[in-house]
Amino acid sequence: MAYVTHQIRFLPGLANTYALHLAMTSLKRIYEQKRPQDAKIVHVLSSGVKAAATWSRVETLQNCRECCGGMGFLSANKIGPLLNDMNVDVTFEGDNTVLLQQVARALLDDKKIVAQAPSLPGVSLANQQGPVDLDSLFRLLSFHERSLAHKVGSQIDAAAAAAQASGDKSPQKAANEAFEANLDRVVAIGWAFVERHCLENFVQEIERADLSLRPALRLLAQVYGMTRVEKNEASYLSGGALTPIDFDGLRVAITSAYRALIADGGRPALSLCDGFGIKEELLTAPVAHDWRTTGQ
């Protein structure tokens, strides 16, 4: 974990896993209440979280395999077999790309979001030293989500209005064609919704957690939020929400969070892994112990 490249591949995966696990736990609580008015949000959240979780799992397993070199490829270490078993999930019970389109459709149906361009989040990261605060990260992710929905929704509405005025085709057909022409952005809207929701839910779970656990969970939530912003750098730059100097500051902030997680020989990160409660007897892969004894 001393290598920056290993930190970049491992630690966002850990943050992602926590964020998505907590989102699934929250979704389960909503579903178990069996309230008719929750049917739409259950559909939207289950579609989005399923897509994000299965894609994240495949990416994380692949990073683990690569970072462990030949030991990661060794079947006894179970990474390869797990990756092979999990790969089907990205299309099983719903192709992930289609599921994110369904998530986006729900946002585009909300005329309040589509009609008004979002205000700039008012966040500056130029002189950032430590991790970015969660409120600023939430504002940035919310801006990204609403900005994309407004942009695509406005194009769909404009296409429908033009068809209505010309009479060349039905407004609904024109709207559908505009939707199809923007499918890449539509999928991006789905992603933006999931990422904003996961951070918002993460913060709520931190507030419910034991006081002793909150600092570690807060740091992990910050890693999740910061890496989501970093992933969508082009969108923030083109939308005027952040500047290149802000992203220089964001890199410093992310690096500081990584250093905190790998301090003391990586004990903070390892403790967060232990938080999943996997029993020792289930950790049978040689790489989880003294891999040098493999085959002896």
Side-chain angles (χ1 to χ4, degrees):
M1 292 301 291
Y3 297 112
V4 171
T5 49
H6 274 50
Q7 296 167 26
I8 290 171
R9 287 189 283 180
F10 276 135
L11 298 177
L14 178 60
N16 247 359
T17 302
Y18 260 81
L20 291 164
H21 177 78
L22 293 173
M24 284 186 278
T25 301
S26 175
L27 173 58
K28 187 186 297 184
R29 285 198 295 264
I30 297 172
Y31 176 77
E32 288 174 345
Q33 293 177 25
K34 303 288 187 182
R35 297 185 303 186
Q37 63 267 33
D38 291 334
K40 182 174 181 179
I41 192 62
V42 167
H43 172 70
V44 171
L45 288 177
S46 60
S47 297
V49 173
K50 182 271 181 182
T54 53
W55 264 330
S56 176
R57 185 164 55 189
V58 169
E59 180 184 18
T60 301
L61 283 168
Q62 181 65 23
N63 283 334
C64 288
R65 203 217 63 72
E66 292 179 17
C67 288
C68 292
M71 290 300 295
F73 192 69
L74 189 68
S75 61
N77 284 323
K78 304 182 185 301
I79 299 175
L82 277 172
L83 181 58
N84 188 57
D85 287 346
M86 303 300 179
N87 215 342
V88 68
D89 290 343
V90 302
T91 50
F92 184 69
E93 292 295 338
D95 176 88
N96 284 357
T97 300
V98 176
L99 290 177
L100 287 181
Q101 291 173 35
Q102 294 180 14
V103 173
R105 180 71 78 176
L107 265 72
L108 294 172
D109 287 343
D110 189 336
K111 296 306 178 183
K112 290 182 180 179
I113 294 177
V114 172
Q116 185 174 3
S119 302
L120 292 175
V123 174
S124 174
L125 307 177
N127 299 310
Q128 196 72 33
Q129 297 299 318
V132 181
D133 66 275
L134 290 171
D135 179 66
S136 294
L137 291 170
F138 177 74
R139 280 187 282 148
L140 285 167
L141 294 189
S142 295
F143 170 83
H144 178 56
E145 175 191 11
R146 288 179 171 267
S147 178
L148 284 171
H150 171 70
K151 184 180 297 184
V152 174
S154 296
Q155 291 184 13
I156 293 173
D157 287 349
Q164 179 73 39
S166 67
D168 292 338
K169 62 182 75 172
S170 72
Q172 186 60 54
K173 182 178 180 182
N176 289 338
E177 289 176 352
F179 181 87
E180 293 288 336
N182 283 282
L183 279 183
D184 56 335
R185 287 178 171 175
V186 169
V187 171
I189 293 171
W191 266 117
F193 169 85
V194 173
E195 291 169 350
R196 188 271 307 158
H197 169 76
C198 282
L199 182 66
E200 184 176 19
N201 181 72
F202 208 148
V203 172
Q204 292 170 356
E205 293 294 338
I206 291 171
E207 293 172 353
R208 282 196 286 262
D210 186 273
L211 288 175
S212 63
L213 301 176
R214 292 183 186 181
L217 291 173
R218 186 175 296 110
L219 178 61
L220 206 58
Q222 289 171 304
V223 169
Y224 176 79
M226 290 189 294
T227 53
R228 299 311 90 194
V229 172
E230 183 182 45
K231 185 186 78 169
N232 295 295
E233 179 176 354
S235 177
Y236 290 106
L237 291 175
S238 64
L242 295 172
T243 68
I245 295 176
D246 286 320
F247 277 96
D248 289 341
L250 181 62
R251 179 178 173 83
V252 172
I254 293 173
T255 301
S256 71
Y258 289 169
R259 286 174 179 165
L261 286 170
I262 66 167
D264 192 21
R267 290 187 182 278
L270 185 59
S271 295
L272 286 164
C273 292
D274 290 340
F276 290 105
I278 301 173
K279 296 181 179 180
E280 186 66 26
E281 57 265 29
L282 298 177
L283 300 176
T284 58
V287 77
H289 303 284
D290 185 1
W291 56 269
R292 297 175 182 83
T293 62
T294 301
Q296 295 181 5

